[in-house]
Amino acid sequence: NILLNENNILSVDEKARLLAEKSRLEDKKVEIEQKNPFHNEIYYTNGSTTDATAPVDTGAFGANIVSNLYNEEKGCWILSFDGDVTSIGAGAFQNCSSLTSIKIPCRVTSIGDNAFYGCSSLTSINIPYGVTSIGKSAFQGCSSLTSVAIPYGVTSIGKSAFQDCSSLTSVA
């Protein structure tokens, strides 16, 4: 809540506090990005070391896919792109029923409509700090998803975004 004085003017102290908070949040975002410098990779698991999960819409990421390889050392698949991944577009992983977990790059700002619709084996997902919108039915039918943390910056969640997530017990 922002408190204004009787003239509808923000007090100097309140303005200073808000600017300090904004600076702290920007510093936190830089810190997170520095911890995950791989803005052009998506890490995921699908219960297999030999069969990759192929995104339904390969153009739904703001960059082009250049490889989809299993990394034995990390124990996961790495979907690599020719540039920064800035979105998980509409239907990107729709009905990829073998997808069990996914780590989305921190520069992603939106998760599109139906992005993970029907990913019935998906148990965990990280939604990065920079995401501001989650599309309609984005996670609908993710019946194995048990918890999700929605970042503070999310300002829009589409209709039915978490419909039929029957195992979902925690939303933070």
Side-chain angles (χ1 to χ4, degrees):
N1 293 338
I2 297 175
L3 300 174
L4 302 177
N5 67 14
E6 64 277 353
N7 296 321
N8 287 330
I9 297 173
L10 198 60
S11 72
V12 173
D13 290 340
E14 184 64 11
K15 184 175 181 181
R17 188 192 69 73
L18 290 172
L19 289 173
E21 178 67 8
K22 179 181 178 192
S23 177
R24 187 188 69 74
L25 291 173
E26 287 172 354
D27 289 346
K28 185 70 173 169
K29 183 176 180 184
V30 168
E31 177 186 325
I32 291 168
E33 286 186 7
Q34 288 171 345
K35 286 181 181 175
N36 180 13
F38 305 103
H39 307 297
N40 64 339
E41 295 178 340
I42 293 176
Y43 297 79
Y44 71 92
T45 58
N46 66 358
S48 172
T49 60
T50 56
D51 297 319
T53 296
V56 175
D57 183 354
T58 59
F61 303 97
N64 297 310
I65 297 172
V66 293
S67 68
N68 191 2
L69 302 172
Y70 189 76
N71 184 304
E72 192 74 39
E73 182 180 318
K74 294 184 188 236
C76 67
W77 290 88
I78 301 176
L79 192 57
S80 298
F81 298 82
D82 63 359
D84 287 350
V85 177
T86 56
S87 66
I88 305 295
F93 290 95
Q94 185 170 350
N95 293 319
C96 289
S97 59
S98 64
L99 188 67
T100 57
S101 69
I102 189 162
K103 183 172 184 189
I104 299 172
C106 62
R107 290 208 175 151
V108 168
T109 59
S110 65
I111 298 174
D113 296 348
N114 304 306
F116 296 97
Y117 180 97
C119 293
S120 57
S121 297
L122 187 64
T123 59
S124 67
I125 187 164
N126 76 307
I127 299 177
Y129 177 77
V131 170
T132 59
S133 66
I134 298 172
K136 294 183 296 188
S137 302
F139 297 97
Q140 185 173 348
C142 294
S143 56
S144 298
L145 191 62
T146 58
S147 66
V148 65
I150 299 173
Y152 178 76
V154 172
T155 58
S156 170
I157 298 176
K159 183 178 181 180
S160 303
F162 295 96
Q163 183 175 332
D164 298 327
C165 293
S166 55
S167 298
L168 192 60
T169 57
S170 172
V171 178

